[in-house]
Amino acid sequence: MTDPAPAAGEVPLARQMASALRGAVIPVLFFIAVIGLWEATTILLEIPEIVLPSPSAIGIALWKSVLSPTFLYHLGITLWEVIAGFVLGAVIGIAAGIAVGLFPFAERTLYPYIVAFQALPKVSVAPIIMIWFGYGLTSKIVLTATMSFFPLLANTIAGMRATPPDQKDLFHGMTANRWQIFWKLNLPLALPFIFVGLDLSLLLSVTGAIVGEFVGARAGLGFLILQRNFSLDMPGNFAILVVLAAIGLFFHLGVKVLEKKVIFWR
């Protein structure tokens, strides 16, 4: 007796596993090739460590950093600044985007000023924020919030405008009020756009925290980078960059997992 043929559009399990394996193996092989070429180049060309440290030296510095309580303290400070600033910027950005999407008057009144503020380089604004809020955690959280605010605002507005007019007319024909249309129609259609903004804002939050620590801080990974620059500890500096890249990748994957759970109908 032969096995039943798979239904139309149904991918066999073996093919799914093979595709997933290829998707995991190819990036790993590419990473190993890049690291091997990097290591060989630094050895063969005798590149000084202060110019470009080898991956092995960076790995040793990273291992020592992870085992250091001082490094973990600085890491915790930066993570708190990133998460707190992102949450603050996300809440304000999504709320402002919804308000602009629902009320055209808000767009005409507020949006030009928001765009003008966003056009300012945050590095130039950072010293002013430090003067206003001090050199503690508050100023870093505020700067991080300003970095994460605009992508969520712009994507939320785009999502609110993505509602097809015929569907909105259908809801009006069913005597739905403004808030029913928002909860049942506007918001579900805007969620994919909002998650794109969340992904981008999280990555910018890491940048905002580090920029704030560069301008003025007593702790954090940015502060630690400056210290290691002064001592010419380039492997240690690259180790911090590896940690920051890992943080950004972790946040990105977290948003993707949450997006699949929330927008399950996609």
Side-chain angles (χ1 to χ4, degrees), residues 31-121:
F31 175 78
I32 293 173
V34 170
I35 295 300
L37 180 62
W38 183 353
E39 184 77 26
T41 302
T42 56
I43 293 174
L44 295 176
L45 300 182
E46 298 181 350
I47 300 176
E49 196 172 78
I50 194 174
V51 176
L52 181 65
S54 64
S56 58
I58 296 172
I60 294 172
L62 179 61
W63 179 250
K64 291 180 179 179
S65 297
V66 170
L67 296 180
S68 169
T70 302
F71 180 84
L72 296 179
Y73 168 74
H74 289 293
L75 174 62
I77 292 294
T78 298
L79 284 176
W80 170 245
E81 293 167 355
V82 169
I83 294 172
F86 166 73
V87 170
L88 178 62
V91 170
I92 299 175
I94 293 175
I98 291 173
V100 169
L102 289 178
F103 306 104
F105 175 76
E107 180 176 8
R108 293 193 299 269
T109 305
L110 300 176
Y111 198 63
Y113 299 100
I114 295 172
V115 172
F117 175 76
Q118 183 62 24
L120 297 175

Side-chain angles (χ1 to χ4, degrees), residues 148-166:
S148 60
F149 164 76
F150 191 77
L152 272 167
L153 171 71
N155 279 277
T156 303
I157 293 173
M160 294 293 292
R161 291 174 175 171
T163 305
D166 55 342

